[in-house]
Amino acid sequence: MDLPVDEWKSYLLQKWSLLPKSIQVSISTAETLSDIFLHSSSLLQSEDEMFLKRLSRGYLVEKDPNAPLFYREEGNKKFQEKDYMGATVLYSKGVSHSRPNTEDISLCYANRSAALFHLGQYETCLQDIIRAQTHGYPERLQPKMMLRKAECLVTLGRLQEAGQTISDLESNLAASQFKIIQRTLCHLKMKVREKETLTETSPAAPTKAFENMDLREKNEQISSATSSVSLCIDPLKGRYLIATKDILPGELLVREDAFVSVLNPGEMSPLCYGLDGKWNTRVTNGDLYCHRCLKHTLATVPCDGCSYAKYCSQECMQQAWDLYHSIECSLGGLLLTLGVFCHIALRSTLLARFEDVGKVIRRLCGDISNKDICLPESKNLVQTFSYDLEGESEKNDKTVETPIPGCDINGKYENNYNAVFNLLPHTENHSPEHKFLCALSVSALCRQLEAANLQILTTGSKSSQPKTAVAPALCQELHIWGVAMLRHMLQLQCNAQAITTIQQTESKENIITNSKQVRLATGIFPVVSLLNHSCSPNTSVSFISTVATVRASVQIGKGQEILHCYGPHESRMGAAERQQKLRSQYFFDCNCPACQNEKHRTTTGSKWEAFCCNRCRTLMQGDDVLSCGNTSCTEAVSRDHLVSQLQDLQQQIKMAQKLLKNGKLEQAIQLLLGCRYDAESFLPAEHSVVGEIEDDLAQAYAALGDWQKSAAHLQKSLHVVEVRHGPSSVEMGHELFKLAQIFFNGV
């Protein structure tokens, strides 16, 4: 997903292995990104490009004139089954394959409006009706759609518009048509009269309130941050943020819009058609979220030129076109093949056009000649303060003046290309094979841009550009931008931020809605990237669309560093696994308090993954042979025996979950109660498997309507989640949401 598809990776790694040793050494020892790019790109042959093109053609990203009818018919089947959500997505797929101003697109929009009406999405339904009319919806079908429009307007309380729509409908209907819909029209008129005596107001959506929330006490040094934090630099750990005052849990620290983001395609198969020879009907993130602002939407508006890019509105579509999609549109299959990181690298470079291009090129040229060391254009001096542990006073005698990369001439760190460019690529830490893979992928992308004669250096103008405008000195410019894209691609391994969202995972069998955190997109947040890692961080990060919000999760004292978790959290994996992941992806060993504490921890392991004594319930300790931690108990057992016992238990749980899914609730409960009894003989009450059993029992009793028993089991599951993930964790929030549903249904 992040890197190119496996076929291209394997192809290039084999190509690397066949290179003469001297060429491998030249690339491995190259001192600048420019040299790496130059050496690698010269090795890209026409047969390599042909292989990549074959892979790219596997993705159906162009508009297929035969697809709209197929998706419309499949959507109609879902509609007849009253699966209006499924119908909506299929109609959207039909829209994305339709050309503008055709009957195909108007019919897909009209059908989607009907599905949206049944989902209660009245405003969106009205928008689709307007779109259908704009694209030439057939006159013979207008009455039915106008009735739907009138019903939406009545429901929304827009009575004057509803009355006008009904009046227009009556005056334009032929006699034969009037008889068919006469009863519905009369019913609508009655509803209008009834509602005219009422005044309706729609409450503001809470999400909008959060989206429009501004930072209080803005930071004069760091854009998107509050005055509670300050930027510092250290020779060993680089740039970092500290608290300028005592910070309370929940306090807002950073609210930053992504400089660039790319929607993760999800599980997209590179096959155009399904096994039955038809188009793919599987739903992906790309069908449900705007490709520019990442807003969730059921009514996507497609790009006029391709079937892949979809947006929440015409405005988002036009903004994306002006900023980058006019160039990306013809490259959809190639970008999906080369992966999200390469896509972000291209988009970052394209967005740089709208800043001072001269400055950007000077930075890039400086990068070419200065061994990848890039300092600010003026050596701005930003004071960093050293605070005493109690935070009582600033130790001015220890104040140092240090140039901080990424800041402007006035010492301000902003969300712009200068800040993005100064994120570290860690060139020296990446393997030669990885640098070769990235360099050739970027080179292939540049060749494609060159072949299409695309003008990628457009100074400042945000108007739509013709796709085939010829740029002067394109080859030289593409080399410069190729080096920039290579830099960004290497930066992303350590600086990419997963943009997540909460998705509901309810099924028809479950009354209680489950939810999970999923990765929606990948973005670059220059300010968030200033946060260093801790396996037990003092902040939490959440997202609304492309905006990241960083809040304190615990009390932070004045002078303390603001810390963020890069993924390996102490509540989700052990110290050894965390260190391995951080070392392989981020190139450092973690010495945070959580890692230090685990070095001195006994061999019992964490409660959620440990075994307990069958006799006295004390945690077992040891390696191959485990003995009871209670010195007065002589119980001992081999680890392999307990692991085998745990695996058997997990198989039983899976069988129970299958019964639960198939609606065999009583059988599932009996099997789960047996599993719980077996677990008590060798697992502590805080073990994650015990929590899983309790959660499944809660679901089963909820399905039977026994809310009291359901709540009792879920509270036991809550205890396990709290021990493992902490009281303020996302996982705890998910469980509390389920408990709230149980209490609500049980009232």
Side-chain angles (χ1 to χ4, degrees):
M1 183 187 294
D2 290 333
L3 294 174
V5 296
D6 290 339
E7 295 88 343
W8 180 241
K9 283 194 289 188
S10 300
Y11 180 89
L12 290 187
L13 290 176
Q14 183 181 19
K15 184 180 179 72
W16 169 265
S17 67
L18 297 175
L19 291 176
K21 191 70 176 177
S22 59
I23 296 179
Q24 288 186 356
V25 170
S26 296
I27 295 173
S28 302
T29 58
E31 295 186 343
T32 68
L33 286 173
S34 180
D35 289 340
I36 295 170
F37 184 73
L38 191 62
H39 287 308
S40 300
S41 60
S42 65
L43 299 171
L44 186 67
Q45 304 298 317
S46 57
E47 57 266 27
D48 304 330
E49 294 183 74
M50 290 302 298
F51 179 77
L52 183 59
K53 283 182 181 178
R54 284 199 297 273
L55 293 177
S56 303
R57 290 193 195 106
Y59 291 97
L60 184 59
V61 293
E62 297 176 353
K63 292 186 183 293
D64 188 327
N66 298 313
L69 176 61
F70 167 78
Y71 283 121
R72 198 165 70 248
E73 290 176 345
E74 291 298 308
N76 291 343
K77 292 176 186 176
K78 293 285 186 183
F79 191 94
Q80 289 166 4
E81 295 168 3
K82 300 188 185 304
D83 180 3
Y84 301 118
M85 187 74 74
T88 299
V89 174
L90 289 167
Y91 292 142
S92 293
K93 286 179 179 286
V95 168
S96 68
H97 278 280
S98 303
R99 293 287 177 186
N101 303 314
T102 61
E103 185 170 297
D104 275 335
I105 197 169
S106 68
L107 291 172
C108 287
Y109 274 134
N111 286 15
R112 192 173 73 181
S113 74
L116 290 167
F117 178 83
H118 284 282
L119 289 171
Q121 303 286 322
Y122 302 116
E123 289 284 5
T124 313
C125 173
L126 288 173
Q127 292 171 8
D128 265 5
I129 289 172
I130 293 170
R131 289 169 183 143
Q133 292 174 320
T134 302
H135 289 280
Y137 190 63
E139 284 293 330
R140 68 183 186 279
L141 302 175
Q142 287 278 354
K144 192 174 181 180
M145 192 171 70
M146 297 310 292
L147 270 177
R148 190 180 309 132
K149 178 180 179 180
E151 287 188 78
C152 285
L153 292 169
V154 170
T155 305
L156 292 170
R158 292 157 60 176
L159 304 181
Q160 187 174 352
E161 294 174 73
Q164 184 62 51
T165 302
I166 293 171
S167 176
D168 293 343
L169 193 55
E170 286 178 319
S171 60
N172 293 327
L173 278 177
S176 57
Q177 292 175 311
F178 184 79
K179 289 179 181 179
I180 297 173
I181 64 171
Q182 185 177 13
R183 182 179 296 178
T184 307
L185 274 174
C186 292
H187 176 67
L188 274 175
K189 286 180 180 179
M190 287 178 61
K191 286 180 74 173
V192 170
R193 285 194 292 270
E194 289 171 5
K195 287 210 171 195
E196 280 176 341
T197 60
L198 303 173
T199 56
E200 297 184 0
T201 57
S202 298
T207 301
K208 281 290 181 186
F210 282 115
E211 286 176 353
N212 298 328
M213 180 179 59
D214 291 324
L215 290 171
R216 295 179 181 177
E217 300 179 4
K218 290 185 179 179
N219 196 307
E220 296 300 323
Q221 182 193 16
I222 313 164
S223 71
S224 308
T226 68
S227 59
S228 302
V229 302
S230 180
L231 174 60
C232 303
I233 190 167
D234 180 87
L236 294 178
K237 61 183 178 182
R239 298 169 296 182
Y240 62 100
L241 298 180
I242 62 168
T244 59
K245 66 180 186 65
D246 291 336
I247 296 172
L248 297 175
E251 187 172 332
L252 180 64
L253 304 177
V254 175
R255 186 173 184 273
E256 181 182 26
D257 200 352
F259 174 79
V260 62
S261 63
V262 169
L263 185 74
N264 284 359
E267 299 297 323
M268 277 195 68
S269 169
L271 299 175
C272 301
Y273 306 99
L275 296 176
D276 57 356
K278 296 181 180 179
W279 292 268
N280 200 334
T281 57
R282 188 173 60 229
V283 181
T284 66
N285 284 341
D287 299 312
L288 300 173
Y289 294 90
C290 176
H291 286 224
R292 193 196 74 82
C293 73
L294 305 183
K295 177 183 175 182
H296 183 271
T297 178
L298 291 175
T300 53
V301 178
C303 167
D304 290 342
C306 69
S307 65
Y308 177 67
K310 309 176 187 76
Y311 306 95
C312 64
S313 64
Q314 187 74 23
E315 292 74 23
C316 258
M317 182 186 76
Q318 189 60 49
Q319 286 178 33
W321 180 265
D322 292 343
L323 291 171
Y324 47 77
H325 192 65
S326 58
I327 290 167
E328 293 179 357
C329 185
S330 63
L331 305 173
L334 178 63
L335 292 171
L336 287 169
T337 305
L338 294 179
V340 170
F341 280 4
C342 199
H343 195 165
I344 291 177
L346 171 64
R347 191 170 288 182
S348 299
T349 312
L350 294 174
L351 290 173
R353 300 173 300 163
F354 300 108
E355 296 186 23
D356 188 325
V357 175
K359 289 182 180 179
V360 173
I361 293 176
R362 285 199 298 277
R363 290 189 200 113
L364 297 178
C365 292
D367 180 57
I368 291 171
S369 60
N370 291 327
K371 299 185 179 180
D372 304 335
I373 298 172
C374 184
L375 294 175
E377 291 175 15
S378 66
K379 294 185 178 179
N380 55 297
L381 301 179
V382 181
Q383 291 186 336
T384 62
F385 297 94
S386 176
Y387 294 89
D388 62 342
L389 293 176
E390 291 76 30
E392 293 176 356
S393 63
E394 297 172 0
K395 297 181 180 178
N396 292 316
D397 58 317
K398 291 189 177 181
T399 298
V400 292
E401 291 183 335
T402 311
I404 299 184
C407 291
D408 64 16
I409 192 171
N410 298 312
K412 186 167 184 177
Y413 188 91
E414 297 190 89
N415 181 314
N416 58 19
Y417 188 72
N418 182 39
V420 171
F421 186 82
N422 278 280
L423 296 174
L424 293 178
H426 295 284
T427 310
E428 69 284 358
N429 292 316
H430 292 286
S431 69
E433 294 87 349
H434 181 73
K435 287 184 278 194
F436 181 72
L437 168 68
C438 294
L440 251 70
S441 297
V442 168
S443 180
L445 180 55
C446 287
R447 295 269 185 96
Q448 188 67 30
L449 290 168
E450 184 179 6
N453 289 324
L454 292 174
Q455 182 174 351
I456 66 170
L457 288 179
T458 306
T459 57
S461 172
K462 293 190 178 183
S463 60
S464 299
Q465 298 295 324
K467 293 185 185 178
T468 55
V470 180
L474 187 61
C475 294
Q476 182 180 357
E477 291 173 355
L478 280 172
H479 172 74
I480 294 172
W481 290 90
V483 175
M485 284 190 276
L486 176 57
R487 180 184 180 90
H488 297 321
M489 204 168 174
L490 295 178
Q491 285 173 335
L492 285 163
Q493 179 165 318
C494 295
N495 292 286
Q497 176 68 52
I499 299 174
T500 59
T501 188
I502 303 297
Q503 287 185 349
Q504 307 303 325
T505 58
E506 77 263 35
S507 64
K508 293 178 181 178
E509 296 80 16
N510 291 339
I511 295 175
I512 303 303
T513 300
N514 285 315
S515 58
K516 62 178 180 178
Q517 189 176 32
V518 297
R519 183 177 177 182
L520 175 61
T522 304
I524 298 179
F525 297 82
V527 176
V528 175
S529 291
L530 295 171
L531 297 173
N532 280 328
H533 167 80
S534 171
C535 299
S536 180
N538 52 21
T539 63
S540 64
V541 182
S542 60
F543 299 90
I544 295 178
S545 298
T546 58
V547 177
T549 300
V550 181
R551 293 181 180 275
S553 57
V554 297
Q555 187 166 336
I556 304 173
K558 182 179 179 181
Q560 285 186 323
E561 186 174 356
I562 312 296
L563 297 166
H564 168 44
C565 180
Y566 290 179
H569 197 285
E570 67 166 342
S571 68
R572 298 182 180 91
M573 59 182 74
E577 187 181 356
R578 297 200 306 269
Q579 292 290 359
Q580 189 276 329
K581 183 172 178 60
L582 290 167
R583 197 176 295 121
S584 62
Q585 182 173 349
Y586 297 99
F587 313 119
F588 70 86
D589 293 316
C590 184
N591 290 308
C592 72
C595 290
Q596 291 295 325
N597 292 339
E598 286 198 37
K599 289 179 182 178
H600 307 293
R601 188 176 292 173
T602 63
T603 55
T604 57
S606 303
K607 285 186 178 182
W608 61 82
E609 56 186 7
F611 299 107
C612 71
C613 176
N614 186 31
R615 291 183 182 177
C616 65
R617 304 290 296 162
T618 304
L619 294 183
M620 305 289 282
Q621 23 181 311
D623 295 319
D624 295 335
V625 177
L626 300 178
S627 57
C628 181
N630 183 354
T631 55
S632 62
C633 180
T634 59
E635 184 74 5
V637 64
S638 73
R639 181 180 292 275
D640 288 343
H641 173 75
L642 292 176
V643 169
S644 176
Q645 198 173 345
L646 178 61
Q647 290 172 343
D648 291 342
L649 179 63
Q650 289 171 321
Q651 287 298 319
Q652 293 293 308
I653 295 170
K654 286 182 180 178
M655 291 174 60
Q657 290 170 341
K658 189 173 182 180
L659 291 169
L660 186 60
K661 185 176 181 181
N662 293 331
K664 299 178 180 179
L665 304 176
E666 295 289 353
Q667 291 175 258
I669 288 172
Q670 290 305 311
L671 187 51
L672 287 168
L673 289 173
C675 290
R676 190 176 70 163
Y677 178 80
D678 293 339
E680 288 173 352
S681 66
F682 70 107
L683 298 179
E686 298 84 3
H687 198 284
S688 58
V689 171
V690 174
E692 185 180 5
I693 294 170
E694 298 292 351
D695 191 79
D696 289 338
L697 281 167
Q699 287 193 39
Y701 282 117
L704 288 173
D706 192 335
W707 305 109
Q708 189 172 358
K709 284 186 178 179
S710 178
H713 285 291
L714 190 58
Q715 284 172 326
K716 291 178 181 178
S717 173
L718 267 170
H719 173 65
V720 177
V721 171
E722 183 174 4
V723 168
R724 178 169 184 180
H725 298 291
S728 303
S729 62
V730 172
E731 291 82 1
M732 192 67 175
H734 295 168
E735 293 300 303
L736 287 170
F737 177 61
K738 288 194 285 187
L739 185 61
Q741 293 177 77
I742 290 173
F743 286 146
F744 179 81
N745 283 287
V747 172

